Amino acid sequence: GPALSLRRPPGYFKLAGMSRVLALLALLALAPPQPAREDPRDILRMALRAAETGNTASLAASCRQRLARDTTDRLATLGLAALARLTYDYPTADRLYPKLAAPGRGVPDRIAVYGRLDQAAAWLARGAATTADSLFALAAREARGAHDPAAEGQALLRRAAPQLRIGGPVVAMQLVSSAQRLIPATDAVLQAELLCHRANVLVVAARQGGRSEPIAPVPPASM
């Protein structure tokens, strides 16, 4: 009989490759969507907004529901800690902050960094300037390790408040200047905070008067 041909028809390999691509796309379409990566700054801003509007119960309930589903949900823990601080429940906040550390003994991540910032703010609100200063300094180092320049800038910026009491306006303004080099010019929230801290330092310096060292003004942010 006639010999069997092993030759493939023209375009066979192209069609076979196309079939595999279509099959892969079909599998991807059926796969469950991956949740968007949440930002710890968002949960802190939600907590602040809830405290300002007197509607903390809703966010607290949402965070507790998340923890009921997953006891390791550190973002939910951060939300509860921030709400506790903002409602002056410092014992609860102090109990929650250690739970925000990076899992195991790993390098601090952004949740750990912003938890540290919130913890420092809690001590500053209680008038413990030295403790707050140490925690802000630690948060800046941890933010640098987490490769988050905005968080590092925020930590340096907020450290200016306790340093006004500890080191004086000159040291505080140096921190503001260092923070400005790290805070993105496009971050309107942090830029507004920068202006507030700068103004506060200048007001304190003017009230003190007769200082031996001049305070160099912080130049406007470059856009």
Side-chain angles (χ1 to χ4, degrees):
L4 293 174
S5 173
L6 298 179
R7 296 178 60 189
R8 303 294 187 186
Y12 172 84
F13 291 106
K14 181 182 292 186
L15 290 173
M18 185 71 71
S19 299
R20 285 192 290 270
V21 170
L22 292 174
L24 178 60
L25 290 175
L27 288 173
L28 291 174
L30 293 173
Q34 295 298 313
R37 186 176 181 180
E38 294 180 279
D39 191 329
R41 284 181 65 183
D42 291 338
I43 192 74
L44 291 175
R45 288 172 180 172
M46 289 169 63
L48 178 59
R49 194 178 310 118
E52 289 175 341
T53 59
N55 186 27
T56 59
S58 177
L59 180 59
S62 176
C63 290
R64 291 192 185 99
Q65 287 174 1
R66 288 178 55 156
L67 284 169
R69 293 191 297 267
D70 180 5
T71 58
T72 65
D73 189 336
R74 292 160 62 230
L75 275 173
T77 301
L78 176 60
L80 290 176
L83 286 172
R85 172 182 64 83
L86 291 164
T87 54
Y88 311 105
D89 183 2
Y90 296 119
T92 297
D94 291 339
R95 177 177 55 81
L96 293 173
Y97 287 131
K99 299 181 180 182
L100 299 173
R105 295 188 177 181
V107 176
D109 57 8
R110 297 183 73 243
I111 297 177
V113 169
Y114 282 98
R116 189 80 67 193
L117 280 168
D118 206 69
Q119 183 183 25
W123 283 105
L124 185 62
R126 284 176 275 185
T130 302
T131 302
D133 180 69
S134 298
L135 289 170
F136 281 131
L138 179 57
R141 293 195 297 272
E142 290 177 338
R144 196 177 312 123
H147 308 290
D148 189 339
E152 183 183 355
Q154 188 172 15
L156 294 173
L157 186 61
R158 294 189 174 182
R159 192 184 175 196
Q163 275 298 325
L164 267 177
R165 308 180 200 175
I166 299 169
V170 172
V171 175
M173 187 59 84
Q174 289 170 348
L175 287 166
V176 173
S177 181
S178 296
Q180 180 166 347
R181 290 192 286 270
L182 293 165
I183 293 174
T186 55
D187 193 322
V189 173
L190 285 183
Q191 286 293 332
E193 187 174 340
L194 175 73
L195 292 175
C196 289
H197 279 279
R198 178 192 177 194
N200 189 40
V201 173
L202 292 174
V203 167
V204 171
R207 286 176 178 171
Q208 289 183 357
R211 59 187 180 273
S212 58
E213 295 180 70
I215 294 181
V218 179
S222 57
M223 300 303 289

